[in-house]
Amino acid sequence: MHDDDLLAELLPRLTQLSNVLNRGRMYEQAAASAGITLERAAMGVLNVLKLSGEPLRIGEIADRLQVAGPHATRQVQGLEQRGLVHRIADPDDQRARLIELTPEGTSITERYMRTVLGWFTGALADWPAEDRRDLGRLLGRMVDDLSAHLKSLDGPGPS
């Protein structure tokens, strides 16, 4: 079997995985289980901030979510109004602001992540540890390489 044939077999499985992970019903179930009443897009912002481990500029949040800046700005504003994030000065540029989780935002995000990670743990419970490690390593490599390749196809940004 040629490499192209192997990749052609992989594409439907990737589409299926994307559908499972992005279905609104999965988010709704996880949010309900965690006692969360946020829209999926808002939860996405909280997850990005939690996973980054540090405050981020809105542009960085938008990049990580792969959305337009105004969309990220609207989400951050809504989260600010709910007291889940707040703005702090960027220590490298006092004119700029970073977005940081509040304790309540951190708590909500941790509840959500515990719920979803519990599902993954249950789904992969019968997998040998080596298979779980291989999955993480190979999936991470594929996402990184595909993202870099697609970015290179976009060409240089504005100068």
Side-chain angles (χ1 to χ4, degrees):
M1 189 174 273
H2 293 29
D3 284 346
D4 287 348
D5 294 334
L6 291 172
L7 292 173
E9 286 182 8
L10 182 61
L11 283 175
R13 301 302 282 181
L14 290 173
T15 299
Q16 186 179 11
L17 177 61
S18 176
N19 290 339
V20 166
L21 294 175
N22 290 314
R23 280 189 355 231
R25 184 155 162 66
M26 181 180 154
Y27 174 74
E28 291 167 4
Q29 288 174 328
S33 293
I36 296 168
T37 59
L38 292 173
E39 293 179 7
R40 183 172 28 171
M43 192 71 234
V45 171
L46 295 180
N47 286 331
V48 162
L49 289 167
K50 179 68 176 164
L51 292 172
S52 76
E54 63 185 0
L56 299 172
R57 289 184 181 196
I58 289 180
E60 179 64 21
I61 294 169
D63 287 347
R64 291 182 186 200
L65 288 172
Q66 297 181 344
V67 299
H71 176 75
T73 298
R74 281 190 303 277
Q75 293 304 321
V76 166
Q77 288 170 341
L79 291 167
E80 276 183 302
Q81 291 170 355
R82 293 181 78 152
L84 303 177
V85 300
H86 63 111
R87 294 173 196 256
I88 60 172
D90 184 335
D92 298 327
D93 180 355
Q94 291 299 311
R95 298 168 297 166
R97 294 289 175 254
L98 299 174
I99 308 304
E100 180 177 61
L101 289 170
T102 63
E104 185 180 356
T106 298
S107 174
I108 285 173
T109 307
E110 288 173 349
R111 282 195 330 260
Y112 176 77
M113 287 185 171
R114 270 194 309 273
T115 299
V116 173
L117 290 175
W119 292 350
F120 278 92
T121 299
L124 303 179
D126 294 334
W127 286 35
E130 184 178 359
D131 286 355
R132 291 191 306 265
R133 283 191 299 274
D134 286 346
L135 174 66
R137 179 180 57 79
L138 292 170
L139 189 57
R141 181 177 171 191
M142 186 183 85
V143 169
D144 291 346
D145 290 350
L146 183 57
S147 296
H149 181 71
L150 293 174
K151 189 172 184 175
S152 75
L153 295 177
D154 288 341
S159 11

